[in-house]
């Protein structure tokens, strides 16, 4: 689908409106037919094509029809999930004058990350936005879903500015809001807006909890410890969802306009991971309770999952600081043996680690000496200074800020023997690995793994440093297939009336195997944007908010930090 926004469309941040909605029969209440593409299960039940009984056992979804309810409620919008996508959806529904309920599986609102990011259209050129999209495609090996990429490009900036206002109204204003400028050929450019909602451990988790309290004060009905467990259909339309209350009873929640599934990814559903992302089956997950509920419920309504392979985020920015993650220091495995070319960036570490013969292959160590600041600076990096790095050494700094104490795993020792003991790896092997590495540095050629000569620096100056990295699954970035408005589609790609899926349980914004780090905070920004604008589309059939955030107001707000270009041009 080609999309060339006009000047008016570009500046108003509108998008494509889906033409018509055609649903298919799907599993729901008793009397509804199963998905036509379902397969026969051994026990006689039918499951959506591509899914099995084990997938549902690993989730909160109830597959057998539910037809008895302790209570029944009706709202315009039913949101399932009080997180990075769900809370913007709830607040947008309220802003648009709709009644809204939010079903949350956990006892509180939950989110990951520490900010957001988006493209400010008013401070970008039309061609610049398209050039930015092309760079995003390139960074993802061209496997981008362009409908969803455009959705992000044309609506994320307004969402970011709106989130800054909503968070302030909720009593959790951004710790920092700023702009970044990107130049492209022929005088074209893009301006990115960003918010940082506190620093670790005060981050998006605290943000969504504040937003949930704020939403309740405005009239939202938020039901904690009440997962959505089964969609309700009337003919071709999704008309509600069944929630399971804390006491085990079922409540029917009717939706006059739409059900919006914001339940997160499927990383904690072992059956789905082994099927759709088998490379990750042995890695530890950073999140919990993300069992693919929205994906499975959408499948019972006639939806289908995006094509494999699924994009994922594999991170560790807790054991050591973010500024150190891509510096090519010596890397050794849990047996203290070198195993890769260290020029591999962090978000691709798992592609090598997955070959390790270990119960959890995500652990390894990075080793460097006390000259690392000078060495890394000469390589073109901006390393964390020695005093700041001590915050990541357990017990070295009393009450360190900006770290999660239980996860820091950086160590500094006078000898390699002591460092090996701290890291929990064999000392003899570590000394042999360092000795061999130093030989390669002296000869000026890495004949073991081929690291460029410019990144070869011997490890000789004590004290010696080591970061015990633990690469875990942060997020799966693919889910149920959606159209350019985040409406769930059937096997013929027709939108299913009344059903939207948002956040990382929906679509394949980044179709590459590894989520690109091309634009910082894009992952959280895309979740917030999809939650907000899918709700607008569900209520209005369009992608135009009634009360859009204002760029002129945003850039002139007290404390807003402009980059040099914006300060000069006052765009």
């Amino acid at each position: 689908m080609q999309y060339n926004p006009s000047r008016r469309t570009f500046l108003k941040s509108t998008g494509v409106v889906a033409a018509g909605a055609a649903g298919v029969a799907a599993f729901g209440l008793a009397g509804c037919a199963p998905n036509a593409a379902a397969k026969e299960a051994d026990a006689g039940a039918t499951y959506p094509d591509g899914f099995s009984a084990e997938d549902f056992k690993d989730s909160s979804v109830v597959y057998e029809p539910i037809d008895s309810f302790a209570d029944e409620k009706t709202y315009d919008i039913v949101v399932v999930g009080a997180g990075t996508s769900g809370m913007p959806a709830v607040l947008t529904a309220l802003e648009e004058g709709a009644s809204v309920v939010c079903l949350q599986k956990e006892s509180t609102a939950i989110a990951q990350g520490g900010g957001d990011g988006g493209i400010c259209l008013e401070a970008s050129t039309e061609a610049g936005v398209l050039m930015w999209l092309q760079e995003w495609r390139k960074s993802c090996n061209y496997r981008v879903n362009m409908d969803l990429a455009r959705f992000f490009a044309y609506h994320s900036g307004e969402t970011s500015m709106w989130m800054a206002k909503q968070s302030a109204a909720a009593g959790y204003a951004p710790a920092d809001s700023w702009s970044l400028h990107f130049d492209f050929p022929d005088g074209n450019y893009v301006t990115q807006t960003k918010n940082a909602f506190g620093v670790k451990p005060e981050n998006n988790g605290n943000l969504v909890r504040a937003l949930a309290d704020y939403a309740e004060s405005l009239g939202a009905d938020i039901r904690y410890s009440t997962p959505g467990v089964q969609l309700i259909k009337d003919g071709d339309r999704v008309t509600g969802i069944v929630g399971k209350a804390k006491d085990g009873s079922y409540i029917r929640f009717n939706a006059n306009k739409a059900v919006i599934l914001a339940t997160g990814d499927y990383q904690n559903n072992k059956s789905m991971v082994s099927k759709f992302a088998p490379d990750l089956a042995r890695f530890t997950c950073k999140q919990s309770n993300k069992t693919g509920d929205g994906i499975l419920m959408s499948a019972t309504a006639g939806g289908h999952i995006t094509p494999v392979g699924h994009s994922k985020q594999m991170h560790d920015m807790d054991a050591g600081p973010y500024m150190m993650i891509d510096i090519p220091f010596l890397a050794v495995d849990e047996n203290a043996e070198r195993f890769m070319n260290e020029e591999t960036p962090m978000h691709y570490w798992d592609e090598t680690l997955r070959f390790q013969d270990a119960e959890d292959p995500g652990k390894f160590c990075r080793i460097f000496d006390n000259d690392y600041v000078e060495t890394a600076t000469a390589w073109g990096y901006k390393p964390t200074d020695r005093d700041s790095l001590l915050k990541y050494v357990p017990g070295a700094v009393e009450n360190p800020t900006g770290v999660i104490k239980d996860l820091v795993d950086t160590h500094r020792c006078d000898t390699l023997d002591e460092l090996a003991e701290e890291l929990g790896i064999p000392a003899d092997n570590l000394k042999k690995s360092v000795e061999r590495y130093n030989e390669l540095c002296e000869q000026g050629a890495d004949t073991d793994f081929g690291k460029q000569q410019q990144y070869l620096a011997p490890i000789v100056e004590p004290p010696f440093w080591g970061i015990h990295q633990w690469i875990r699954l942060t997020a799966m970035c693919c889910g149920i297939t959606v159209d350019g408005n985040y409406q769930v589609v059937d096997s013929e790609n027709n939108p299913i009336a009344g059903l939207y899926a948002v956040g990382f349980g929906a679509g394949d914004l980044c179709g590459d195997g590894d989520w690109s780090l091309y634009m910082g905070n894009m992952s959280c920004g895309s979740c917030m944007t999809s939650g907000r604008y899918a709700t607008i589309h569900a209520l209005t059939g369009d992608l135009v908010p009634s009360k859009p955030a204002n760029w002129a107001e945003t850039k002139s707000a007290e404390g807003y930090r402009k980059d040099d270009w914006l300060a000069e041009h006052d765009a």
Side-chain angles (χ1 to χ4, degrees):
M1 178 175 63
Q2 297 297 315
Y3 180 50
N4 298 303
S6 66
R7 168 65 65 174
R8 177 178 178 276
T9 301
F10 176 80
L11 291 179
K12 286 186 174 294
S13 182
T14 61
V16 178
V17 179
V24 295
F27 178 86
L29 294 179
C32 293
N35 176 10
K39 64 180 182 180
E40 197 72 19
D42 292 340
T46 54
Y47 294 97
D49 190 31
F51 294 92
S52 67
E54 292 303 315
D55 301 330
F56 287 86
K57 288 178 183 178
D58 279 350
S59 77
S60 298
V61 179
V62 177
Y63 192 72
E64 293 300 318
I66 302 169
D67 55 11
S68 179
F69 307 102
D71 199 2
E72 182 173 351
K73 300 288 185 180
T74 300
Y75 304 82
D76 294 322
I77 295 290
V78 177
V79 177
V80 186
T84 313
S85 297
M87 289 320 305
V90 170
L91 287 166
T92 296
L94 293 169
E95 187 176 76
E96 297 296 324
S99 59
V100 59
V101 63
C102 181
L103 310 185
Q104 171 69 345
K105 183 192 296 188
E106 289 84 0
S107 60
T108 185
I110 289 177
Q112 287 72 40
D116 69 11
I119 293 176
C120 178
L121 300 182
E122 295 91 335
S124 304
T125 63
E126 292 184 60
V129 175
L130 296 174
M131 291 175 181
W132 182 91
L133 283 167
Q134 180 66 5
E135 288 299 315
W136 168 243
R137 291 184 67 226
K138 185 186 302 182
S139 71
C140 297
N141 292 318
Y142 300 94
R143 293 195 73 236
V144 169
N145 182 321
M146 287 305 294
D147 285 344
L148 301 185
R150 292 185 186 99
F151 185 101
F152 176 82
Y154 292 109
H155 305 298
S156 58
E158 191 278 334
T159 299
S160 179
M161 292 183 284
W162 179 81
M163 283 299 302
K165 294 178 64 175
Q166 294 295 315
S167 64
Y172 196 76
D176 194 10
S177 295
W178 70 102
S179 63
L180 292 175
H181 179 74
F182 297 87
D183 278 314
F184 295 106
D186 305 319
N188 291 295
Y189 55 88
V190 157
T191 296
Q192 177 189 354
T193 61
K194 299 185 74 171
N195 296 306
F197 299 104
V199 295
K200 296 182 295 186
E202 293 79 29
N203 50 34
N204 286 0
N206 286 347
L207 169 67
V208 295
R209 286 185 282 274
L211 293 176
D213 292 342
Y214 177 55
E216 284 187 300
S217 74
L218 297 178
D221 183 3
I222 300 183
R223 303 293 183 100
Y224 294 108
S225 302
T226 306
V229 298
Q230 189 172 106
L231 290 174
I232 300 169
K233 287 192 78 176
D234 183 3
D236 291 339
R237 185 179 186 87
V238 171
T239 59
I241 194 167
V242 180
K244 186 176 182 179
K246 194 173 183 179
D247 62 6
S249 64
Y250 293 118
I251 303 172
R252 176 172 177 152
F253 293 94
N254 300 316
N256 290 331
K257 292 291 186 179
V259 173
I260 297 176
L261 300 172
T263 58
D265 64 35
Y266 64 88
Q267 64 179 272
N268 305 120
N269 188 312
K270 293 182 180 179
S271 177
M272 290 179 67
V273 169
S274 66
K275 185 182 309 177
F276 299 121
D279 287 354
L280 309 181
R282 291 183 296 129
F283 286 92
T284 302
C285 298
K286 279 193 173 184
Q287 302 185 44
S288 60
N289 231 7
K290 298 296 189 297
T291 52
D293 298 356
I295 297 170
L296 293 169
M297 286 190 286
S298 294
T300 66
H304 57 98
I305 201 162
T306 54
V308 176
H310 286 171
S311 181
K312 79 276 189 184
Q313 295 181 30
M314 303 291 287
H315 291 164
D316 178 16
M317 293 173 281
D318 298 309
Y322 174 79
M323 296 301 293
M324 303 285 281
I325 57 175
D326 286 336
I327 302 175
F329 295 129
L330 171 66
V332 298
D333 60 21
E334 292 293 89
N335 199 38
E337 297 175 344
R338 190 179 180 211
F339 67 98
M340 72 173 181
N341 182 320
E342 293 86 359
E343 293 178 71
T344 306
M346 179 194 66
H347 62 290
Y348 290 118
W349 283 345
D350 66 287
E351 301 293 1
T352 298
L353 293 170
R354 66 189 176 91
F355 292 103
Q356 292 199 113
D357 184 15
E359 183 176 354
D360 179 356
K363 297 180 179 181
F364 74 104
C365 299
R366 299 167 66 220
I367 311 297
F368 44 98
D369 70 10
N370 207 44
D371 284 339
Y372 78 89
V373 174
E374 294 76 16
T375 297
T377 301
W379 290 346
Y381 295 92
K382 297 180 180 179
T384 302
D385 65 71
R386 297 175 185 85
D387 288 341
S388 298
L389 189 55
L390 284 174
K391 295 194 303 181
Y392 292 85
V393 176
V397 175
E398 187 176 356
N399 299 320
T401 59
V403 302
I404 301 176
K405 290 183 180 181
D406 293 341
L407 294 178
V408 296
D409 206 353
T410 298
H411 303 274
R412 185 186 69 170
C413 298
D414 291 331
T415 68
L416 290 175
D417 285 284
E418 293 171 330
L419 183 63
E421 183 176 357
E422 289 290 314
L423 294 171
I425 59 178
D428 287 344
N429 288 356
L430 177 60
K431 288 186 290 185
K432 289 178 182 177
S433 293
V434 170
E435 181 180 4
R436 171 59 179 166
Y437 187 72
N438 289 346
E439 290 175 358
L440 297 173
C441 294
E442 184 177 355
Q443 74 182 30
D446 181 5
T447 53
D448 289 347
F449 290 92
K451 185 160 71 173
Q452 296 180 68
Q453 181 180 359
Q454 63 176 316
Y455 298 126
L456 293 175
I459 299 171
V460 293
E461 184 65 31
F464 301 102
W465 296 78
I467 302 177
H468 197 184
Q469 307 282 178
W470 187 16
I471 297 301
R472 294 173 292 157
L473 177 56
T474 300
M476 297 300 306
C477 308
C478 286
I480 205 72
T481 305
V482 294
D483 66 9
N485 302 309
Y486 279 86
Q487 195 162 1
V488 178
V489 297
D490 64 20
S491 59
E492 297 180 352
N493 290 322
N494 297 312
I496 299 173
L499 183 61
Y500 293 77
V502 295
F504 280 166
D508 48 354
L509 174 59
C510 169
D512 193 23
D514 295 89
W515 182 274
S516 169
L517 299 180
Y518 174 62
M519 189 179 100
N521 291 342
M522 184 177 176
S523 55
C524 292
S526 67
C527 291
M528 295 172 182
T529 301
S530 61
R532 172 163 169 74
Y533 275 86
T535 304
I536 293 170
H537 189 267
L539 290 169
T540 70
D542 206 341
L543 293 171
V544 181
S546 62
K547 299 177 181 178
N550 184 283
W551 172 235
E553 180 182 354
T554 298
K555 69 178 181 178
S556 60
E558 183 178 355
Y560 191 83
R561 183 160 54 90
K562 304 176 184 179
D563 65 4
D564 293 340
W565 182 91
L566 189 61
E568 179 181 348
H569 291 80
D570 194 24

